[in-house]
Amino acid sequence: EPEVTQTPSHQVTQMGQEVILRCVPISNHLYFYWYRQILGQKVEFLVSFYNNEISEKSEIFDDQFSVERPDGSNFTLKIRSTKLEDSAMYFCASTADEQFFGPGTRLTVL
Amino acid sequence: GIQVEQSPPDLILQEGANSTLRCNFSDSVNNLQWFHQNPWGQLINLFYIPSGTKQNGRLSATTVATERYSLLYISSSQTTDSGVYFCAGGRRGSYIPTFGRGTSLIVHP
């Protein structure tokens, strides 16, 4: 069964450093998403991506964040200068109708 | 945006018990899904159920779109059912689902 994959599973970084989280969506899906979940809280939408551009983004997705589809398979989320409050689980998802989520990347900012 | 309310927020069961989890939406939604977040944090798809009823083993779900709610039934619960159950749905015309705050389920042996 096709699945969404994410790397790394856990990333530890120092405040102010840049991080890139990687995702490989399901191959025939057209919409891609990033979500985050702060520990113990609900899943929050960050950004959606369709046809090689951002289609929607939330208030959380400020100038520190960017997304890219550098090739035909990968979908990345970059955080330019991490803050302590960026510590969270980051999920990638892709959809035809039903959304399928990757296993997540746990980001810890020290 | 759409408001999603889940109830109950917490649920503790003995193994073998049945339960019903509820999800209410403030407006009509599409792409309604139920997820189980396991203790390792993974979000597992349970049901994609914009309307009607579906069953998968001990789990079943019903969405009444006209009444803006969905129910998830867990029968004969097992310890492996423990975790957080989320529902999510997007407003019509959008592929962006809004998540509820979840129901935290603990099943004791």
Side-chain angles (χ1 to χ4, degrees):
Chain A
E1 184 174 315
E3 59 181 13
V4 178
T5 60
Q6 289 186 243
T7 54
S9 56
H10 193 184
Q11 172 98 43
V12 181
T13 190
Q14 295 290 325
M15 192 168 56
Q17 294 297 302
E18 173 183 286
V19 295
I20 298 176
L21 310 183
R22 291 182 167 81
C23 169
V24 179
I26 293 173
S27 62
N28 62 343
H29 285 181
L30 299 178
Y31 283 87
F32 315 123
Y33 307 80
W34 284 101
Y35 296 84
R36 80 171 185 192
Q37 185 183 30
I38 295 170
L39 185 64
Q41 299 188 22
K42 69 176 183 178
V43 178
E44 300 173 291
F45 166 73
L46 292 177
V47 64
S48 63
F49 195 83
Y50 172 73
N51 202 24
N52 285 321
E53 59 183 25
I54 291 174
S55 56
E56 287 190 59
K57 59 183 181 179
S58 71
E59 296 171 350
I60 304 168
F61 192 87
D62 61 21
D63 293 343
Q64 292 296 318
F65 292 91
S66 62
V67 289
E68 200 173 48
R69 189 157 163 81
D71 54 44
S73 59
N74 290 286
F75 180 49
T76 62
L77 174 70
K78 182 192 291 185
I79 309 175
R80 271 183 258 285
S81 178
T82 51
K83 303 186 282 284
L84 294 176
E85 54 265 36
D86 293 327
S87 294
M89 182 78 98
Y90 288 82
F91 292 102
C92 172
S94 69
T95 187
D97 288 314
E98 181 177 358
Q99 286 214 349
F100 290 89
F101 281 75
T105 293
R106 185 170 298 283
L107 177 65
T108 302
V109 182
L110 303 176
Chain B
I2 287 179
Q3 306 301 312
V4 182
E5 289 186 14
Q6 289 191 243
S7 59
D10 301 283
L11 189 57
I12 299 174
L13 299 175
Q14 284 297 128
E15 203 167 27
N18 302 327
S19 61
T20 300
L21 282 57
R22 186 178 179 106
C23 184
N24 288 333
F25 293 88
S26 60
D27 202 348
S28 298
V29 297
N30 59 3
N31 302 326
L32 198 154
Q33 290 186 244
W34 283 95
F35 299 91
H36 175 218
Q37 188 164 40
N38 64 22
W40 295 271
Q42 295 176 315
L43 283 167
I44 309 299
N45 286 38
L46 296 177
F47 294 102
Y48 173 70
I49 187 164
S51 63
T53 297
K54 290 186 178 179
Q55 179 151 10
N56 185 5
R58 296 181 296 102
L59 273 59
S60 64
T62 295
T63 295
V64 183
T66 53
E67 304 273 326
R68 304 196 300 268
Y69 72 88
S70 185
L71 303 173
L72 178 70
Y73 306 96
I74 305 174
S75 64
S76 304
S77 57
Q78 300 176 358
T79 55
T80 51
D81 294 332
S82 296
V84 183
Y85 290 80
F86 291 101
C87 64
R91 67 181 186 278
R92 293 207 178 275
S94 170
Y95 280 90
I96 312 301
T98 298
F99 279 73
R101 295 194 172 275
T103 291
S104 177
L105 173 65
I106 298 174
V107 181
H108 288 301

